Amino acid sequence: MSTIKTALKAAKGALDAHQYDAAIANANKALKEDFKNYHANVFLGLAFEKQGRNEESEKAYKTAASVKASDPLAWQGLISLYEQQGGRKLNEYHDAATRLATLLMEIDDKTRCQTVVDKYTDFARTYGSRAQYQHSLDILLPHGDVYDYLEGHIMHPSITYSRISEIVEQDEKERINFEIGQRRTRLGAKIDQVTAEVKKEVLQASDLETLYQRVIDYTDDDAIRRSYEEKLLQHAYDTLIVLPSAQKGEKLLEVTRLAKGLVILKHPFQLAWKIVLEWEDVERLEELDLGLLEEYVEFFPEDGLAKILRGFLDSEIASFPKHASSEEQEGDAKEKGPAMTAEDRLVLMTDGVEDSPTTTLGLRIMAEYYLYLEESESAVDAARSGLRHVVTEARGTSLSLVNNVDAIKLILGTALVRYHAPRHHPEAKSLFEDVLARKPVNTYALLGTGLIFEEQEEYNRATEFLDCAMKQGSNVRVEAEAAWCRALCGDYTTGFSELENCLPRLIASDPRTKTLKAQVLYRMGICLWDMDSSKSARRDRNKAYARFIASLQADINCAPAYTSLGIYYADYAKDKNRARKCFQKAFELAPSEVIAAERLAQSFAKTSEWDLVEVVAQRVVDSGRLRPAPGSKKKGISWPFAALGVVQLNNQDYPKSVVSFQSALRISPKDYYSWVGLGESYQSSGRYIAATKVLEQAQKLEQELDSEALGDTWFSAYMLANVKRELGEYDVALAGYSKVLASRRKEYGVSISSLQTSIEAAWQNTELGFFGRAIEHTGQALEIAKEFATWCKDAYNLWKSIGDLCSVYTYVQAYSEDFPIEAIRELLRIDGDTEAYYLLADVDGVDWAAFEHSTEGKGPEAYLETCCYADILAQKKAIACCVHDPHAQSIGWYNLGWTEHRAYVCCQGWEDRDKAKTSRFLKAAVQCFKRAIELESGNADFWNSLGVVTSQLSPRVAQHAFVRSLFLNDKNARVWTNLGVFYLIQGDIQLANDAFARAQSADPDHSQAWLCQGLLAAQLGETTEARNLFTHAFEISNALATQIRRSFASSSLDHFLSSPAASTSTASLLQPLLALRQLRKQTIIDLPNEHTLSLLTERIGSYTEASKHLSSISSYLEAESEESESAEILARFAQAKADLSRSQLAERNYSSAAENAETALDLSADDDQASGIKSRTRLSAHLSAGLSQFYLGSIDRSIEMFRAALKETHGDPDIICLLSQILWAKGGEQERSIAREQLFDCIEKHPGHVGTTLLLGVIAVLDDDKDTIEAVAEDLQGLQTRDDLSPEQRKQLAQLLNAVAFLYPGDTDPVSSQLSKAIAAVMLDPSQPYGWRQLAGLTDESHPAEMAVLTATRKVPPGGELSAEDLSEAYAGTRRGEDAQKSIMLAPWKTVGWQALSLVSSA
């Protein structure tokens, strides 16, 4: 025991001496003796604490406290230790401080106990978190023993609870913000949904309401209590909003209790007052507590709801009972100041809605006030907003606001009945029905439903609802509406008496009944108006007229009364000025006054005031009264849409006019004139298919509706004809015009359209190449023009069309002999005045005398000249007819210029010996275009035309004109093309190429640009590129592009002659051939094209036509050569004769062929001719002569010709083959020997020549020369693998090999040898039919014959060059009856098909 004391004493001394190691050692020594020694553990803990060994110190202190828990020394040591560590051991500090305070309380040491508590809470606030500080304040709360012991010495509980609540508020706020920030980034998260979820989680678990209530319970300060009551209500309300519906009940009661408590105390907390006011579920506003409303206005004067309430309480619709005496009311009025005007009141209430847009009570009041002011649109907006917010409020709080919802629905339904009636009647009706489902006798719902049926003209049903509403109580408005419905049902007497009974109860000075009184008086007037419809009764100013005036005296803004007065003045008083003023006033007051609007629109339309018509019609459309509600029996009103369509049509606003007429037709599907207007709109906007359907529908209505009611219906037929004209269906259009003209002969527009349509049809057929049809249409146009000229001979379009009619003949010159000279002469002198024809006569030399002189000539050239002169005179007459119209004059000069230019082009071909005579047309064209430019200098086409006609006369002027035209319109492909041609003429190839490229980019379908590009390529020697460009230009051009056809045909023929691959195909010549045939009808004399045409027809096997063309060419050239004695013409004559001889040879006209060939040889014997032309001409003539003589039996003469040809061609192998065949045919041994020698020499000089090899093989077979056969056989086998053989050569080779195999089979029998050769032919080229055909002939199997048909079918054009005869032979080899018939059909001149059919029939 002494040892322990000594150790403790030594440890105490060491601690005092700050020798902590010694103190630790001595304390441990004592603990060895007694490990539960209290003071040893305390000394040990203190020594460890001084050395900073906190963990060991804490352990020692806790051991000491466990040994002697009632001694405060160890606890004080722990507190000291914890304080040194800051906030790290704050939770342990709380336990130690609580334990020490309890010990001190037990020993009744208040001072030290308070010190411990204060020190701990201050320490927690300084070093701890908010949660730890909140935990420290728990010691001071009333539920603990410490609070009871230290009450009065520590903080008041209200302060403690307020501090705790502040901490919890901050924590919840941070948690809410943190969770929202975390969750809003999730995929598909919505901020509103996330916010509601987070608030629900946090607020449901919150203790704030308990803390607020504790502060309220313990505080003695009323201000603090009110403040925390506000916080409590706000928190409870926020919690109520986010709670699930099933949990809202109790919280709703709590929120309501708290709010009412604050209101009872008259505490100005706005949320409480709004809850009490807006959660009050009342049917009528008068059921609200007036005192509460006034107090709210007093407490929150700047709040939006307060402004609305202030205006409401000062308005006519506030009908609260007056409890105060008159003196008190006067005193209140003096305190409030002067009364507000209606305008000020409305401004105040509108500001209130802007300040508080979500207040349900305020929106309900505003909707009702707008309804009172008859501002239906504003009432609808306010009611919709109020209904939306009250439903949201009820859903968020689980309140039952049925009365509020019904009241707002009634306001909304009533406003919708008036707003753009009847557009919103279905919605209004559904609202009333919803209210009536809960409240079957609601007066306002019954009245609203009755008004809807009244508007829908279902007066009996309306009366039922209104009578039911009358049973619920006296209501003068309901009675007036019921009486009016009876009147509308036809019972005017009863209706009038009931309306009259309503008048005494309607006070004019009362603003709420003023409008109704005016309406009742107006309706009484209508009853009197309809009771007696005689003119005398309606003129009586003491009857209906007096009621209308009385109605306006009651309410000067009664629009229907103005309408009725307008009808009275217009139809009975015959005072149009007053009537118009009445209609205008009625329409200004109410755009829904449709009758007044219609009368106004009609009056404006009569005076062509279309802008005013549009204004009236548009206002009526905007009123929304045109279309009946769905299910309504009331008819719609379509005339405003039709009027808008007419105005928009006049303004050329076609898309809008289409919409307007469509709207009119949706309302009135049988409105004939709307169908016609819609068709015209479609046609003007380019929608021709739609226009056709619409106008056809209009014509159907003509048959269904009364013709007297429709009036004139010709316009629809005229418009339909216009549409057909635009679609290019000219025949149908002309038939339509003729139908109209049958009843309206002198209708100018129809006659001109018919005439122009005939001309357009002629031009279209000319462009398509249907020249006969074009001439037929010119005949139709001439008849129309003759009829038109009898009653209107000064029309510009008439003479312009006559000029176009004459111009057609200049483009189809083959029909110039059919030109109706006499009819045109009669038209040109129809008025006997020829003065107009002398215009520019001094320049172009064309006047009436010149025209008469031209008609005396005969022949194509004379007829063409007459056409040109007639065209020019007609265009001059057109100019004379438009002297007062500058624009028409400019167009007339432009047309005359091109007419002069056309005459210049036509005359060039047949007046080339009189250049001065042709140039006069060109000079006149220049004058015309200059005059057109003077009148309209901004027209790009005029400048382009001037550039075209001056290209040869003045290049500088031409270039300036083209550049000016492009300045005005740089997207015109024609101008770029013309500029490119100008540069090409001037020799600037690069600029020409650039201009053509610009033209192609501006319009890729402009064929002339591609033609000129091809001419440029040809000039540069790029023949392939030129041919491709000519082909493309031909494909996209029309028949009027004659130069394109010339270039295309000549380039195609050149390619055909120069390309071996192309020379085997005749299908590629069909397009050039057709082009030249069309061109032949467009020009009278064009020898180069005629010669090209003959060569093409010869190539395709039409030898008779070729001979005909060549004979004509030869005759013309013969005459030319005799007249001019030109070597060039002589050479062309010789060439024509040689070509004619060749064609006659093909026709088997051997004598003529021989004669013409010898003529060609005689003509080409002159050495002055070009060597190239001469050699080709003479070679052709020699060959033709040789073959002709052979077929005529003159073998010697034939041989002589071939030898001459062989000499001129220096041993051409093909000619050698021909000569050898002729020699062999002569039959003499010497001639045959010479033939063999010629062929052997040829094969040595031209190894591999197909014709020579085949002839040697045939001769060897005929001579039975086995050695030669063996020598030639190898060459024949090699020919089978060559690709350059023609179909005929392949056929001959197959036949020869088959013969060799049969005659010289070798070691096998003949049939097997032939079979092997046929199989070899098939293996070498299985796509050719010859091997298959041989194989089919050698076997009985059907497959080779079917393959022969299949391959032959694929090789005929356009897949190959196989002839019809070869395909016929393939079908004949199948041994089937149907194939034999096909064989005969393909080549009836071949015997093989007939033989096959005979064999099949006999079998």
Side-chain angles (χ1 to χ4, degrees):
M1 188 68 179
S2 58
T3 305
I4 295 174
K5 289 183 177 181
T6 303
L8 291 174
K9 186 176 181 179
K12 181 68 171 64
L15 287 172
D16 292 339
H18 302 292
Q19 297 176 357
Y20 303 119
D21 291 335
I24 293 171
N26 288 316
N28 286 329
K29 186 185 294 184
L31 287 174
K32 287 182 180 179
E33 296 295 331
D34 183 7
F35 68 93
K36 292 185 177 181
N37 189 284
Y38 177 76
H39 290 91
N41 281 295
V42 171
F43 292 156
L44 183 61
L46 181 59
F48 282 141
E49 179 185 349
K50 295 300 181 180
Q51 286 186 336
R53 299 164 66 181
N54 297 330
E55 297 295 333
E56 295 171 347
S57 174
E58 182 181 3
K59 182 179 180 182
Y61 280 138
K62 286 184 176 181
T63 302
S66 64
V67 172
K68 195 175 182 180
S70 59
D71 194 315
L73 185 61
W75 297 107
Q76 291 174 351
L78 280 172
I79 289 174
S80 175
L81 177 65
Y82 292 148
E83 287 178 349
Q84 291 179 15
Q85 299 182 52
R88 290 174 53 197
K89 294 289 186 177
L90 195 56
N91 293 331
E92 290 80 355
Y93 189 178
H94 175 81
D95 296 337
T98 304
R99 182 60 180 166
L100 180 58
T102 303
L103 291 177
L104 294 173
M105 181 182 64
E106 290 175 355
I107 62 177
D108 195 20
D109 191 347
K110 285 187 178 181
T111 302
R112 291 177 62 195
C113 181
Q114 181 182 354
T115 302
V116 170
V117 173
D118 291 343
K119 189 177 179 181
Y120 166 59
T121 54
D122 291 340
F123 187 85
R125 182 175 65 250
T126 303
Y127 296 102
S129 63
R130 284 197 299 267
Q132 289 172 331
Y133 179 53
Q134 177 187 348
H135 189 47
S136 70
L137 292 176
D138 288 344
I139 300 176
L140 307 178
L141 295 177
H143 58 75
D145 295 335
V146 173
Y147 171 80
D148 296 335
Y149 180 67
L150 296 177
E151 186 177 6
H153 296 278
I154 58 176
M155 286 189 300
H156 192 273
S158 63
I159 299 175
T160 305
Y161 278 117
S162 66
R163 290 185 179 179
I164 293 175
S165 66
E166 290 172 359
I167 293 171
V168 175
E169 283 176 2
Q170 188 66 23
D171 287 344
E172 288 186 359
K173 183 178 179 181
E174 291 181 358
R175 181 183 172 192
I176 289 172
N177 291 336
F178 175 78
E179 290 294 334
I180 291 174
Q182 289 288 322
R183 300 184 188 184
R184 68 182 299 179
T185 59
R186 296 175 181 174
L187 188 63
K190 298 180 180 178
I191 185 64
D192 296 338
Q193 183 178 356
V194 168
T195 302
E197 291 177 355
V198 172
K199 284 187 175 182
K200 174 186 172 185
E201 294 175 5
V202 174
L203 296 180
Q204 271 189 301
S206 175
D207 295 329
L208 271 178
E209 293 183 24
T210 303
L211 295 172
Y212 291 152
Q213 190 61 51
R214 293 288 183 270
V215 174
I216 295 169
D217 293 342
Y218 283 99
T219 185
D220 296 326
D221 190 336
D222 287 342
I224 295 175
R225 181 178 290 108
R226 297 289 89 79
S227 174
Y228 275 88
E229 285 176 348
E230 291 177 4
K231 289 186 176 183
L232 177 60
L233 175 60
Q234 185 67 57
H235 193 279
Y237 178 78
D238 293 340
T239 305
L240 173 65
I241 297 301
V242 299
L243 282 176
S245 299
Q247 302 175 17
K248 289 181 184 288
E250 294 182 2
K251 184 60 70 174
L252 175 62
L253 295 175
E254 180 185 351
V255 170
T256 306
R257 177 182 58 79
L258 292 172
K260 287 183 177 179
L262 287 173
V263 171
I264 291 172
L265 294 174
K266 301 191 185 309
H267 177 66
F269 181 51
Q270 193 170 6
L271 176 62
W273 287 85
K274 283 195 172 183
I275 287 174
V276 171
L277 290 176
E278 298 196 356
W279 287 10
E280 192 70 27
D281 192 24
V282 294
E283 288 189 12
R284 303 175 62 210
L285 293 175
E286 290 78 6
E287 298 177 17
L288 293 171
D289 189 337
L290 178 60
L292 287 179
L293 299 179
E294 292 175 341
E295 288 171 354
Y296 186 87
V297 173
E298 181 181 352
F299 286 143
F300 314 103
E302 298 302 321
D303 178 62
L305 178 58
K307 293 179 181 179
I308 296 172
L309 290 174
R310 182 183 171 191
F312 166 65
L313 295 175
D314 191 59
S315 69
E316 299 86 349
I317 65 173
S319 56
F320 290 100
K322 310 296 184 183
H323 299 294
S325 64
S326 59
E327 295 180 357
E328 291 176 349
Q329 292 178 7
E330 291 177 2
D332 293 341
K334 290 180 181 179
E335 291 178 2
K336 294 178 181 177
M340 288 186 292
T341 64
E343 292 78 8
D344 294 339
R345 184 185 308 120
L346 184 59
V347 170
L348 178 65
M349 297 175 75
T350 305
D351 292 342
V353 173
E354 292 177 357
D355 295 340
S356 300
T358 60
T359 169
T360 55
L361 177 61
L363 290 169
R364 176 179 173 181
I365 292 172
M366 285 302 301
E368 189 165 342
Y369 188 61
Y370 281 132
L371 193 61
Y372 164 73
L373 297 177
E374 296 186 358
E375 293 290 338
S376 300
E377 183 176 1
S378 300
V380 167
D381 294 338
R384 288 191 193 279
S385 181
L387 186 61
R388 184 170 60 253
H389 286 105
V390 75
V391 170
T392 303
E393 188 75 16
R395 187 183 300 115
T397 60
S398 288
L399 276 170
S400 177
L401 301 174
V402 177
N403 291 328
N404 283 347
V405 171
D406 288 346
I408 297 177
K409 283 185 176 181
L410 290 173
I411 296 171
L412 177 58
T414 305
L416 289 173
V417 171
R418 304 175 183 175
Y419 177 52
H420 285 179
R423 181 186 301 173
H424 303 289
H425 282 182
E427 182 182 358
K429 189 176 179 181
S430 66
L431 292 172
F432 292 138
E433 290 175 349
D434 184 49
V435 174
L436 289 173
R438 291 185 294 275
K439 302 172 183 176
V441 293
N442 187 283
T443 302
Y444 297 100
L446 292 170
L447 174 60
T449 308
L451 291 175
I452 291 174
F453 283 120
E454 179 185 327
E455 179 66 31
Q456 295 177 357
E457 299 182 357
E458 298 185 37
Y459 303 121
N460 292 327
R461 297 193 63 185
T463 304
E464 293 175 5
F465 279 91
L466 293 171
D467 289 341
C468 184
M470 289 172 59
K471 295 177 182 178
Q472 310 310 317
S474 177
N475 189 317
V476 66
R477 174 170 173 75
V478 176
E479 294 175 12
E481 292 294 342
W484 178 237
C485 285
R486 289 187 180 88
L488 293 174
C489 288
D491 191 357
Y492 297 110
T493 304
T494 305
F496 178 82
S497 62
E498 291 181 357
L499 287 170
E500 193 172 24
N501 293 334
C502 294
L503 277 179
R505 288 182 286 170
L506 299 173
I507 303 172
S509 59
D510 186 355
R512 303 193 67 173
T513 59
K514 179 180 70 171
T515 303
L516 181 58
K517 183 176 182 179
Q519 189 180 65
V520 168
L521 288 168
Y522 157 73
R523 290 175 174 178
M524 290 173 64
I526 293 296
C527 290
L528 292 174
W529 184 272
D530 290 335
M531 273 194 288
D532 188 355
S533 60
S534 64
K535 289 186 177 181
S536 59
R538 291 187 172 180
R539 285 176 182 169
D540 190 349
R541 290 178 176 260
N542 295 321
K543 291 187 177 181
Y545 176 82
R547 300 305 190 282
F548 297 147
I549 295 296
S551 174
L552 292 176
Q553 291 173 348
D555 183 5
I556 196 66
N557 295 325
C558 184
Y562 282 110
T563 301
S564 298
L565 280 177
I567 295 173
Y568 171 82
Y569 286 126
D571 298 344
Y572 298 97
K574 303 302 180 183
D575 191 341
K576 293 184 178 180
N577 292 330
R578 283 190 176 182
R580 187 165 183 172
K581 290 179 180 178
C582 288
F583 290 138
Q584 287 179 339
K585 185 64 176 178
F587 188 64
E588 289 173 3
L589 292 171
S592 57
E593 285 297 311
V594 181
I595 296 176
E598 185 174 9
R599 295 282 187 125
L600 274 179
Q602 289 173 351
S603 65
F604 291 143
K606 289 178 181 178
T607 56
S608 299
E609 299 176 78
W610 296 110
D611 292 341
L612 295 177
V613 173
E614 182 179 15
V615 170
V616 172
Q618 189 61 55
R619 285 195 65 192
V620 177
V621 170
D622 295 339
S623 70
R625 297 187 64 86
L626 304 183
R627 293 186 176 91
S632 173
K633 296 180 180 179
K634 186 177 180 180
K635 293 183 179 180
I637 302 171
S638 62
W639 71 262
F641 288 110
L644 277 177
V646 172
V647 174
Q648 290 156 354
L649 198 58
N650 288 336
N651 295 336
Q652 298 183 357
D653 194 351
Y654 305 121
K656 288 185 179 179
S657 68
V658 167
V659 174
S660 297
F661 283 122
Q662 285 177 339
S663 301
L665 289 170
R666 290 190 187 100
I667 297 173
S668 301
K670 293 194 175 183
D671 185 353
Y672 170 77
Y673 291 102
S674 292
W675 282 106
V676 175
L678 180 59
E680 186 175 0
S681 300
Y682 276 138
Q683 187 243 345
S684 301
S685 59
R687 300 167 65 180
Y688 302 119
I689 301 301
T692 302
K693 295 179 180 178
V694 168
L695 291 171
E696 288 175 350
Q697 178 63 28
Q699 291 187 336
K700 290 180 181 178
L701 287 177
E702 293 176 9
Q703 302 173 359
E704 298 175 4
L705 302 178
D706 185 8
S707 59
E708 295 183 0
L710 288 177
D712 289 335
T713 58
W714 64 271
F715 193 72
S716 63
Y718 170 61
M719 289 304 304
L720 184 59
N722 286 342
V723 172
K724 295 298 184 181
R725 172 186 175 183
E726 296 292 345
L727 290 172
E729 300 178 21
Y730 296 112
D731 293 334
V732 180
L734 287 170
Y737 292 134
S738 299
K739 181 181 178 182
V740 176
L741 290 173
S743 58
R744 302 181 70 88
R745 173 176 169 268
K746 294 185 178 182
E747 190 65 44
Y748 178 85
V750 182
S751 298
I752 285 296
S753 297
S754 179
L755 177 58
Q756 292 175 338
T757 302
S758 298
I759 298 300
E760 290 174 9
W763 282 118
Q764 184 196 52
N765 284 295
T766 303
E767 292 174 355
L768 295 175
F770 302 138
F771 303 126
R773 295 181 187 176
I775 297 303
E776 290 177 5
H777 281 292
T778 59
Q780 295 179 9
L782 183 60
E783 294 300 321
I784 298 170
K786 288 165 64 177
E787 170 65 23
F788 184 69
T790 59
W791 56 273
C792 184
K793 53 187 175 236
D794 294 328
Y796 167 81
N797 287 322
L798 167 65
W799 296 105
K800 195 264 183 188
S801 299
I802 292 174
D804 291 342
L805 182 153
C806 298
S807 182
V808 171
Y809 285 90
T810 67
Y811 285 92
V812 190
Q813 297 176 8
Y815 294 88
S816 59
E817 296 181 1
D818 299 330
F819 182 67
I821 297 175
E822 292 302 324
I824 296 296
R825 180 190 285 115
E826 291 179 7
L827 279 173
L828 291 175
R829 63 181 182 187
I830 190 167
D831 56 357
D833 183 13
T834 60
E835 183 69 24
Y837 303 140
Y838 291 91
L839 184 67
L840 287 183
D842 57 335
V843 180
D844 61 8
V846 179
D847 54 17
W848 181 254
F851 171 72
E852 289 286 4
H853 178 71
S854 69
T855 59
E856 298 173 359
K858 300 295 181 181
E861 295 179 359
Y863 294 136
L864 183 58
E865 182 182 21
T866 303
C867 294
C868 294
Y869 284 8
D871 192 359
I872 293 172
L873 293 182
Q875 299 297 347
K876 289 181 178 181
K877 185 69 172 179
I879 294 175
C881 292
C882 60
V883 290
H884 301 296
D885 187 349
H887 177 69
Q889 269 214 318
S890 65
I891 300 298
W893 283 106
Y894 174 74
N895 293 334
L896 178 58
W898 279 119
T899 303
E900 299 278 6
H901 183 264
R902 181 60 187 168
Y904 166 74
V905 172
C906 292
C907 291
Q908 275 189 317
W910 42 269
E911 289 190 83
D912 54 345
R913 291 181 298 277
D914 191 357
K915 299 298 182 183
K917 190 174 181 181
T918 58
S919 63
R920 58 193 171 95
F921 294 117
L922 195 60
K923 293 177 181 178
V926 173
Q927 295 296 323
C928 293
F929 291 133
K930 285 183 177 180
R931 181 60 178 154
I933 291 172
E934 289 175 3
L935 293 170
E936 192 175 342
S937 60
N939 193 309
D941 291 335
F942 294 177
W943 287 100
N944 172 57
S945 304
L946 180 61
V948 172
V949 298
T950 56
S951 295
Q952 298 178 5
L953 299 176
S954 178
R956 289 186 178 181
V957 174
Q959 184 176 21
H960 170 74
F962 287 135
V963 172
R964 181 64 180 173
S965 178
L966 290 173
F967 172 77
L968 295 171
N969 180 12
D970 63 348
K971 303 296 183 183
N972 194 322
R974 291 188 294 110
V975 183
W976 282 109
T977 304
N978 293 335
L979 181 61
V981 173
F982 172 78
Y983 286 139
L984 191 60
I985 294 172
Q986 301 302 318
D988 196 331
I989 294 177
Q990 183 59 46
L991 287 177
N993 185 60
D994 294 342
F996 296 145
R998 285 293 300 269
Q1000 292 163 4
S1001 63
D1003 184 4
D1005 292 331
H1006 185 56
S1007 58
Q1008 299 293 337
W1010 297 97
L1011 166 68
C1012 296
Q1013 192 83 34
L1015 294 173
L1016 181 60
Q1019 184 175 340
L1020 296 175
E1022 300 175 0
T1023 55
T1024 302
E1025 179 68 15
R1027 187 183 74 259
N1028 293 334
L1029 290 169
F1030 292 146
T1031 303
H1032 179 67
F1034 173 77
E1035 290 172 350
I1036 63 176
S1037 67
N1038 55 48
L1040 293 177
T1042 55
Q1043 185 56 47
I1044 293 178
R1045 277 155 168 67
R1046 292 189 184 99
S1047 302
F1048 170 64
S1050 60
S1051 64
S1052 298
L1053 183 60
D1054 291 342
H1055 175 65
F1056 186 87
L1057 297 176
S1058 61
S1059 174
S1063 62
T1064 61
S1065 172
T1066 58
S1068 60
L1069 296 179
L1070 293 178
Q1071 280 190 323
L1073 179 63
L1074 293 175
L1076 288 175
R1077 284 178 176 174
Q1078 284 186 343
L1079 189 60
R1080 191 168 180 268
K1081 291 182 179 291
Q1082 294 177 270
T1083 55
I1084 297 177
I1085 298 174
D1086 192 347
L1087 292 182
N1089 294 321
E1090 189 85 3
H1091 202 160
T1092 305
L1093 176 62
S1094 66
L1095 295 177
L1096 291 176
T1097 53
E1098 179 188 1
R1099 283 287 179 173
I1100 65 171
S1102 183
Y1103 305 115
T1104 302
E1105 182 181 355
S1107 299
K1108 180 180 178 182
H1109 294 319
L1110 289 168
S1111 297
S1112 175
I1113 294 171
S1114 298
S1115 300
Y1116 185 86
L1117 289 175
E1118 184 177 6
E1120 285 289 318
S1121 64
E1122 290 176 357
E1123 183 178 349
S1124 63
E1125 297 182 355
S1126 169
E1128 180 182 356
I1129 295 178
L1130 189 63
R1132 291 169 59 188
F1133 179 40
Q1135 185 179 6
K1137 280 293 185 179
D1139 292 339
L1140 176 60
S1141 171
R1142 187 174 60 251
S1143 296
Q1144 290 173 336
L1145 174 64
E1147 284 186 284
R1148 299 184 182 181
N1149 187 359
Y1150 304 123
S1151 58
S1152 297
E1155 180 183 351
N1156 286 314
E1158 291 178 358
T1159 302
L1161 290 172
D1162 295 338
L1163 292 172
S1164 60
D1166 190 355
D1167 294 336
D1168 295 336
Q1169 298 180 13
S1171 60
I1173 299 176
K1174 174 184 175 181
S1175 61
R1176 288 194 297 271
T1177 301
R1178 291 184 65 79
L1179 174 61
S1180 175
H1182 278 119
L1183 293 177
S1184 299
L1187 290 172
S1188 299
Q1189 294 294 345
F1190 171 75
Y1191 287 113
L1192 289 172
S1194 301
I1195 303 299
D1196 294 334
R1197 181 63 176 162
S1198 173
I1199 293 173
E1200 181 183 346
M1201 288 296 177
F1202 278 117
R1203 284 176 175 169
L1206 189 62
K1207 181 179 179 182
E1208 291 194 6
T1209 59
H1210 306 291
D1212 184 272
D1214 291 326
I1215 296 178
I1216 291 175
C1217 291
L1218 286 172
L1219 179 59
S1220 300
Q1221 290 175 344
I1222 298 299
L1223 290 172
W1224 188 272
K1226 188 174 181 181
E1229 187 60 35
Q1230 183 179 0
E1231 286 80 1
R1232 293 186 177 185
S1233 176
I1234 294 172
R1236 293 189 190 94
E1237 292 176 2
Q1238 291 284 350
L1239 290 173
F1240 280 119
D1241 291 340
C1242 181
I1243 201 66
E1244 290 179 3
K1245 296 177 181 179
H1246 305 280
H1249 186 258
V1250 178
T1252 305
T1253 305
L1254 290 173
L1255 284 176
L1256 285 174
V1258 170
I1259 290 174
V1261 170
L1262 293 175
D1263 290 342
D1264 194 18
D1265 187 351
K1266 296 183 179 180
D1267 295 334
T1268 304
I1269 289 174
E1270 292 178 0
V1272 174
E1274 186 177 352
D1275 293 337
L1276 293 175
Q1277 296 291 343
L1279 290 178
Q1280 286 185 302
T1281 61
R1282 287 175 56 173
D1283 297 329
D1284 57 346
L1285 269 66
S1286 67
E1288 184 63 27
Q1289 288 174 334
R1290 290 185 181 279
K1291 180 179 179 181
Q1292 293 174 355
L1293 176 61
Q1295 291 174 344
L1296 179 58
L1297 288 173
N1298 188 33
V1300 170
F1302 180 78
L1303 295 174
Y1304 306 99
D1307 297 336
T1308 61
D1309 61 280
V1311 176
S1312 300
S1313 178
Q1314 285 182 297
L1315 188 62
S1316 63
K1317 295 294 182 182
I1319 293 173
V1322 170
M1323 297 300 294
L1324 285 171
D1325 195 350
S1327 64
Q1328 294 293 337
Y1330 307 113
W1332 292 107
R1333 203 164 62 212
Q1334 292 176 8
L1335 191 60
L1338 296 172
T1339 64
D1340 295 331
E1341 297 181 7
S1342 61
H1343 178 69
E1346 292 175 356
M1347 287 301 300
V1349 171
L1350 179 62
T1351 53
T1353 305
R1354 292 177 177 177
K1355 288 296 180 179
V1356 295
E1361 298 300 322
L1362 204 67
S1363 65
E1365 291 90 338
D1366 293 323
L1367 182 58
S1368 174
E1369 292 179 4
Y1371 273 112
T1374 62
R1375 304 183 183 92
R1376 290 199 293 261
E1378 59 270 23
D1379 288 342
Q1381 292 175 346
K1382 290 179 182 179
S1383 174
I1384 295 171
M1385 181 191 69
L1386 288 167
W1389 59 88
K1390 296 286 289 185
T1391 60
V1392 62
W1394 298 101
Q1395 291 173 353
L1397 182 62
S1398 175
L1399 291 174
V1400 171
S1401 300
S1402 61

